[in-house]
Amino acid sequence: MTRLVVVGNGMAGARLVNEVRARDKDIEITVFGAETWQPYNRVLLSNVVAGTMLPDQVRLLDPSWYADHGVTARPGVAVTAIDRRAQAVVTADGEREPYDVLVLATGSEAVVPPVAGAERAIAFRTLDDCQAILEAAGTARRAVVVGGGLLGIEAARGLAGRGLPVTLLHLAGHLMERQLDPEAGVVLGETLAGLGVQTRTGVVVEEITDGGVRLAGGETVEADLVVLACGVRPVTGLARETGLEVARGIVVDDEMRTSDPAVYAIGECAEHRGTVYGLVAPAWEQATVVADLLTGADKEARYHGSRLVTRLKAKSVELAAMGETHVDEASDASAEVVRFSHRARGTYRKLVIRDGRLVGAILLGETAAVGTVTQLFDRGGPVPGDRAGLLFPGLAGAAVADSPVRMPDAAKVCQCNNVTKGQIRACWESGARDVAAVAAATRATTGCGGCLDAVEGIVGWLCEQEGVSA
């Protein structure tokens, strides 16, 4: 009997264990997690900060799942060494667990900038961090969030939703500079200002004091709660110490194997073809490939990389960004850029097209175009000649992909779990009459949650068509 050991019980490790057990009832599985929590959805932590969800509501698996499925779970037990020659892992308390196959799903850790007083701040990465932030927020008068990337914006919006005045400090010239161009960053900042978040870009933090954050030049931004959201780095120490090939992440091939054929790596700790993915959808795709290979369900399964769609999960802020978003139109004659901006309404839309194919997009502000644009980007299909109709669905008779009636069955509704409208329809026809039942059967809505409205719309439409009560 194959002995599978998984190091890491986060979103990647938990998905792998689930996928393997769904394919094979006999593989002996042991999973170690450094955190004491049962696996939870890290994508939804900003909702916990905002108070719109409780910790139990972001849990991925019930505590009873492991026993019910014959899986040995060791939460709160850190693996400190790998004996590759003996094929065993060693825990912090000296226990040894043998393996035939080892999967590293160690994830990533928060980057803490080397500034004086950093210990006075709280990093925003884990559920424990959320609880520390919430405890501090209970008595705080003002908050500062350092870092204007995805996590920083979500944390700032969550704290503002609790009624705290929040200042967001960012080193770069505009927010989310990796995903957004400067104009989109400005529009996003103005949107956040309307929600109670003051944004300061192009600033350097020099010290975190008892009274707030001191910037280069001497100015102090007052705060009694400082949250750090300065990015993450892959957790690779275990792999490096045991002699596996490590670059920025643990280097893997298309089978997600490391330089040791008995060891795999998936999720945010893995580096595939020079890329470390920091989003959940690639991690779950990788978990599916490894589960197929380990169980023999698909011996030809391979991971070829992911087309990333970044969604901001912050209440009252609609944002999706994908592919090439930074294009110099003056020097890049091969790129066609279609852009619309209406700053007074917090709207910015941009398409980047090459050779008739969509290679990048930014959609900021409420728009029905998200479904259509995301599908075009994901499939690499030809872009319609009516560019305006693509940005403004319904204009000149353009079809609205977000409408359940007009959406083709092949349209991908849930990007995180690769769930199509056709799969949701089939699930509904099999008896799933509400979103919870569809989620249980397909996992749609269980990733970033950005597809919830679409799934509700499809289920409601199907119920209405058949005269069934949802």
Side-chain angles (χ1 to χ4, degrees), residues 342-434:
H342 191 333
R343 288 174 59 176
R345 296 190 60 181
T347 298
Y348 182 81
R349 302 173 191 175
K350 177 180 181 179
L351 306 177
V352 181
I353 301 165
R354 294 186 192 277
D355 300 321
R357 311 278 172 170
L358 184 69
V359 297
I362 299 172
L363 299 171
L364 174 58
E366 188 174 351
T367 173
V370 173
T372 306
V373 171
T374 302
Q375 290 165 35
L376 280 172
F377 173 75
D378 187 59
R379 297 179 191 169
V383 176
D386 180 11
R387 312 300 203 227
L390 183 58
L391 277 185
F392 301 94
L395 184 67
V400 182
D402 280 347
S403 166
V405 181
R406 299 178 179 179
M407 186 186 293
D409 275 355
K412 189 182 295 184
V413 177
C414 177
Q415 296 292 322
C416 296
N417 290 289
N418 295 312
V419 181
T420 65
K421 176 196 172 184
Q423 290 172 301
I424 294 173
R425 181 201 291 271
C427 180
W428 186 91
E429 291 173 347
S430 298
R433 294 294 191 260
D434 58 27

Side-chain angles (χ1 to χ4, degrees), residues 124 145-157 168 229:
F124 178 49
V145 175
V146 181
L150 200 63
L151 280 178
I153 292 170
E154 291 175 356
R157 176 65 187 100
L168 181 62

Side-chain angles (χ1 to χ4, degrees), residues 16-172:
L16 173 70
V17 169
N18 194 306
E19 295 280 359
V20 169
R21 184 53 85 225
R23 292 161 173 73
D24 191 305
K25 308 300 181 186
D26 298 321
I27 288 180
E28 184 179 311
I29 305 174
T30 302
V31 55
F32 293 90
E35 293 186 67
T36 57
W37 296 94
Q38 297 291 338
Y40 57 87
N41 190 331
R42 201 181 302 276
V43 177
L44 300 178
L45 289 184
S46 60
N47 292 345
V48 176
V49 172
T52 58
M53 299 184 79
L54 297 173
D56 278 352
Q57 293 175 295
V58 300
R59 191 169 56 197
L60 290 171
L61 295 173
D62 289 327
S64 62
W65 185 91
Y66 297 98
D68 292 344
H69 291 82
V71 173
T72 301
R74 303 290 303 280
V77 178
V79 171
T80 56
I82 302 170
D83 185 342
R84 288 169 52 203
R85 179 171 295 180
Q87 293 198 176
V89 299
V90 183
T91 65
D93 54 9
E95 292 186 28
R96 295 176 66 88
E97 182 70 33
Y99 66 83
D100 298 308
V101 177
L102 173 64
V103 178
L104 301 178
T106 49
S108 57
E109 61 187 358
V111 172
V112 177
V115 300
E119 69 279 0
R120 295 187 176 94
I122 304 172
F124 178 49
R125 178 62 184 162
T126 68
L127 199 47
D128 283 335
D129 296 334
C130 281
Q131 293 199 320
I133 290 169
L134 291 178
E135 183 177 349
T139 56
R141 299 184 310 276
R142 294 190 61 85
V144 162
V145 175
V146 181
L150 200 63
L151 280 178
I153 292 170
E154 291 175 356
R157 176 65 187 100
L159 289 170
R162 289 182 167 271
L164 268 179
V166 181
T167 301
L168 181 62
L169 305 177
H170 192 44
L171 176 63

